[in-house]
Amino acid sequence: MTGSEAGLLALLRGLDDPEWLEWPQHYNRGEAAALFGGLVTRLEGDFGARCTAEQDTQDSTEYGRVVVPGDAAVCGTRIVVCVSKSGSLALVCADNPGAFLGTGDAQAEGELDGADLDKVNRALVELGYVVVAEELLELDYDGPSRLPQHVGRPSWWHRFFGIF
């Protein structure tokens, strides 16, 4: 594990509050909506295309998703950005979460262009999001929260982007 991965894992553990599963204690829905709206606007401008967005997801630790359409991406595969309700965490993936073993795998298979990924990551960082790699989120969850019984093998993805 690299230093940055260890730091991100420490961040996830720090955000993990068992008393506040669906959203953090000081969660502000209005601020989350404004930040998410800025992300949608930024990605539409950067990619020159209308992006679809789902937000304020009910019974989930995920706030919402922005989808850059495949016809706006160099490789023709849509780019999905998932945003958590906790700590402005964001996940970037090609096609859908779990479709590849992460962005590196999607790039190796020719489904995600490096410049497109850089464009999305730059937008997220400049807006104040923390980008967490899908590979890290797929690690076994070992935090203090009790995750729902329907989750067979809990991962950090379930904790910060999953359905309750």
Side-chain angles (χ1 to χ4, degrees), residues 9-64:
L9 202 50
L11 172 66
L12 295 178
R13 286 190 175 105
L15 292 171
D16 189 10
D17 183 343
E19 292 186 39
W20 297 90
L21 290 178
E22 191 173 338
W23 54 75
Q25 182 176 10
H26 300 291
Y27 177 69
N28 183 308
R29 181 173 276 144
E31 288 176 10
L35 185 59
F36 188 79
L39 175 61
V40 174
T41 299
R42 170 72 183 266
L43 292 176
E44 287 180 339
D46 287 353
F47 283 91
R50 181 142 171 69
C51 296
T52 59
E54 301 171 14
Q55 68 186 68
D56 208 11
T57 308
Q58 295 293 313
D59 300 322
S60 175
T61 54
E62 181 178 277
Y63 175 78

Side-chain angles (χ1 to χ4, degrees), residues 2 7 35 53 67 69 74 93-94 96 100 104 116 124 130 135-136 146:
T2 68
L35 185 59
V67 178
V74 171
C93 45
N96 243 342
F100 297 92
D116 282 351
L124 288 165
V130 176
E135 301 90 332
L136 187 66
R146 295 195 69 194

Side-chain angles (χ1 to χ4, degrees), residues 98-115:
F100 297 92
L101 298 175
T103 55
D105 185 47
Q107 285 180 290
E109 291 191 30
E111 298 294 329
L112 180 61
D113 178 69

